[in-house]
Amino acid sequence: MPEPGSVPLPAGVAPVGSVPRVGVRTGIAALSPRYQVGVALALAAVAVGVCVHLGMVFLHIAPSNTLSKKHAETIDDWVYPEFEQNWKLFAPNPLQQNISVQVRAQISTPDGGRRLTGWQDLSAQDGRAIDGNISPSHTQQNELRRAWDFFQSTHDADNRPAGVRGMLAESYLRRIVVLRLERAGTTGRGEAVELVQVRSSTTNVPPPEWSEEEVSLKPTHRVLPWWTVSRDEAEEVEG
């Protein structure tokens, strides 16, 4: 019986605060069995993928142990170069240098000649793209920097690669600089990049005014040997 003074509700409209009918299925349970299985499999695949990724990254940054040594190659293949991690932000002595990556190229011309470009500061180009950009891309922030870090960690002081990872680092860095040269319009019609040379320019960050520390502000360079750009690499960049 309705309470005295209450207004009758239209047919089929439940009062506010009423309890849903028992037995009515909602969410995934409302799907047909076939779709329920599909959703369950998709969620399971995502969960497995996340667990595998977190496990690989953990083994990569964790102290060396039996498991990471046994599966070192698999871990490196998974992590490098996209998911590389390091502790430089939290180091007791953070980086106190500005490092820029520069490149120049030897270009073949349609008449059979060759010309040499000047040094192009790729890091400065990334810096200009990030400056004032409220949402810079991952490529602008990290691609070149991580490629150079990867190269340094896999080569000795004479720029000799340390195994397969060193060769991979060379190939990765070379492809990036060739792509940047093409995007910058370095080559004209009928021209092609034949050789590239990369160098780094390192400058100490000036100490604060109140510090008595004295550092040299003269840049130092690490110049790599000339690399030949293969036809396959050039075609992939153009494509």
Side-chain angles (χ1 to χ4, degrees), residues 14-210:
V16 176
S18 62
V19 179
R21 289 180 299 167
V22 177
V24 177
R25 298 186 300 175
T26 60
I28 296 179
L31 300 174
S32 65
R34 182 177 63 179
Y35 286 107
Q36 289 183 17
V37 172
V39 171
L41 291 175
L43 291 175
V46 171
V48 170
V50 170
C51 290
V52 170
H53 177 70
L54 293 178
M56 290 291 190
V57 173
F58 172 78
L59 291 174
H60 172 66
I61 63 177
S64 181
N65 56 73
T66 303
L67 189 60
S68 63
K69 290 179 180 178
K70 181 178 180 181
H71 301 286
E73 185 175 353
T74 301
I75 295 171
D76 288 344
D77 289 343
W78 182 279
V79 171
Y80 290 106
E82 286 83 3
F83 306 118
E84 180 187 4
Q85 305 289 320
N86 60 63
W87 295 99
K88 291 181 180 178
L89 178 63
F90 306 99
N93 296 307
L95 293 176
Q96 299 180 4
Q97 297 174 323
N98 289 322
I99 302 175
S100 63
V101 180
Q102 305 169 354
V103 64
R104 65 177 178 176
Q106 178 178 292
I107 298 175
S108 62
T109 58
D111 59 2
R114 291 177 175 81
R115 65 181 178 89
L116 183 66
T117 70
W119 289 103
Q120 298 186 27
D121 194 332
L122 304 183
S123 297
Q125 294 173 10
D126 285 348
R128 289 192 293 269
I130 294 171
D131 188 24
N133 189 343
I134 62 174
S135 182
S137 71
H138 175 78
T139 299
Q140 293 167 336
Q141 298 179 81
N142 298 315
E143 181 184 60
L144 181 64
R145 177 180 61 83
R146 289 192 171 181
W148 180 250
D149 287 345
F150 185 24
F151 178 88
Q152 285 186 303
S153 66
T154 56
H155 287 71
D156 60 20
D158 295 323
N159 300 318
R160 291 175 300 194
V164 177
R165 288 185 61 216
M167 298 172 63
L168 174 63
E170 284 187 12
S171 176
Y172 183 54
L173 181 59
R174 184 169 60 251
R175 287 172 184 270
I176 289 176
V177 299
V178 172
L179 180 61
R180 297 291 184 90
L181 290 170
E182 293 289 345
R183 287 178 176 175
T186 305
T187 56
R189 182 184 296 255
E191 295 183 335
V193 177
E194 287 190 343
L195 302 171
V196 293
Q197 187 175 35
V198 179
R199 75 176 183 183
S200 67
S201 178
T202 303
T203 308
N204 291 318
V205 175
E209 296 181 356
W210 48 262

